[in-house]
Amino acid sequence: MQRKPLTLVQTILMAMALMVVLFPIFWIVMTSIKPPTDWNASPAIWVPSKPTFVNFKTLFDPDAIREYGVGGVSQSATKAVLGSVLASVVSTCISVIIGLFSAIGISRYANGSKATPLIILSGRMFPPAAIAVPFVIMFSALNLIDSYSGLIAIYVAVTLPFSTWMLKSFVDDLPREVEEAAMLDGRSRIMAHLTVTIPLIKGGLFATSMFVFILNWSEFMFALVLSYSNISTIPVQLAKYVTATAGTLYGVQAALAVLAMLPLVIVGYFIQSHLARGMTFGAIKQ
């Protein structure tokens, strides 16, 4: 089906929408390369005349920004970056593996009652602020506060409904006959799923992994209430770049925000064809 070209009005509206959506990104990128003297300039400086990478350098060398007469940053972002990578990657792998076998069980064998899928989905119905305190109390009793084990556990618990439902939609799209043919060839049920089902939905598996990674990478509430001194993540570190002497370190915050956005932009590019399915928990069939 041939698409109709956009009218002049539609083109103008599209351009205006893009400007509104992309302006915050433009401002963050420009602020990340501004020297401290330009952060609070009045009138605002849109594009710095002398761009610098001192803000990025300050993320890993807290004293680098002192050359501009600004007090050094109290904490390096190295721990936060490594913490985000560790927690996001490990929790994504665990969530997708458990969600995959849960999806196969629900789709192929209808394990549990008819309410099981709804019970699983209910885990995504509660706002993080409502369940953060109960998790803190429970994790305190288990000595999981301020540990990557606790952070990974809660990331898995929060994203598991998402990975289960999204993967279930991919398994539902796969004809049962391909698995039955594998079993007729002598494979067991589990081997049929491992050698037939999973390879055939590898595209959906990759897309689900990327969606879950995005959720984990950008999560703030649970990381904030579960971290103190031993662990940190990028969203939490962003809130820490406020000092009594220098005020809010806008340029350093912007530099860390740019680093945080890069993986999301790359991941979003690769899964753009699955965005509609992911945003609707797999309800849209392709």
Side-chain angles (χ1 to χ4, degrees):
M1 181 177 179
Q2 188 176 5
R3 295 182 180 181
K4 295 181 179 180
L6 296 177
T7 63
L8 178 60
V9 175
Q10 290 174 328
T11 302
I12 295 174
L13 292 175
M14 181 70 73
M16 292 175 62
L18 285 174
M19 290 178 63
V20 172
V21 171
L22 295 179
F23 176 76
I25 299 176
F26 165 79
W27 187 253
I28 290 174
V29 174
M30 290 297 102
T31 303
S32 70
I33 58 176
K34 288 180 182 179
T37 53
D38 292 350
W39 293 349
N40 296 311
S42 181
I45 298 176
W46 297 91
V47 179
S49 57
K50 296 181 179 180
T52 176
F53 290 99
V54 69
N55 297 316
F56 291 93
K57 185 179 179 181
T58 303
L59 294 176
F60 307 102
D61 180 10
D63 292 327
I65 205 168
R66 290 184 184 275
E67 63 181 272
Y68 286 91
V70 177
V73 177
S74 60
Q75 190 178 37
S76 169
T78 303
K79 179 191 290 188
V81 174
L82 295 178
S84 284
V85 172
L86 174 64
S88 299
V89 172
V90 174
S91 58
T92 296
C93 292
I94 296 174
S95 177
V96 171
I97 291 173
I98 298 175
L100 172 62
F101 288 101
S102 299
I104 292 175
I106 295 172
S107 177
R108 291 295 187 253
Y109 308 106
N111 285 348
S113 66
K114 294 182 180 180
T116 299
L118 181 60
I119 294 173
I120 295 175
L121 183 60
S122 65
R124 292 293 299 179
M125 295 180 180
F126 300 98
I131 59 177
V133 174
F135 267 113
V136 170
I137 297 173
M138 181 175 62
F139 278 25
S140 295
L142 297 173
N143 293 322
L144 292 176
I145 294 292
D146 203 21
S147 69
Y148 286 110
S149 299
L151 190 61
I152 291 170
I154 199 169
Y155 280 7
V156 172
V158 171
T159 58
L160 186 56
F162 184 94
S163 60
T164 299
W165 271 79
M166 189 169 178
L167 286 170
K168 179 181 177 297
S169 71
F170 288 105
V171 178
D172 288 341
D173 289 346
L174 188 66
R176 294 173 180 263
E177 288 76 13
V178 295
E179 297 159 355
E180 293 172 354
M183 286 186 283
L184 288 175
D185 288 339
R187 292 185 176 89
S188 62
R189 289 183 182 274
I190 185 65
M191 288 304 299
H193 292 309
L194 292 176
T195 60
V196 177
T197 307
I198 295 177
L200 289 177
I201 64 168
K202 60 183 179 182
L205 196 61
F206 173 77
T208 302
S209 299
M210 296 299 98
F211 270 108
V212 173
F213 175 82
I214 289 174
L215 293 176
N216 291 329
W217 182 264
S218 57
E219 202 286 320
F220 173 72
M221 177 62 70
F222 295 118
L224 178 65
V225 299
L226 291 177
S227 62
Y228 293 98
S229 58
N230 294 329
I231 67 173
S232 183
T233 63
I234 290 177
V236 175
Q237 186 67 27
L238 279 169
K240 293 181 179 179
Y241 283 137
V242 180
T243 65
T245 57
T248 302
L249 299 170
Y250 297 111
V252 182
Q253 283 184 321
L256 186 56
V258 170
L259 289 183
M261 287 190 297
L262 283 177
L264 303 184
V265 172
I266 295 171
V267 168
Y269 174 79
F270 284 109
I271 63 173
Q272 55 184 319
S273 61
H274 298 281
L275 283 175
R277 182 188 292 251
M279 296 303 175
T280 54
F281 282 87
I284 294 180
K285 300 296 182 183
Q286 293 182 339

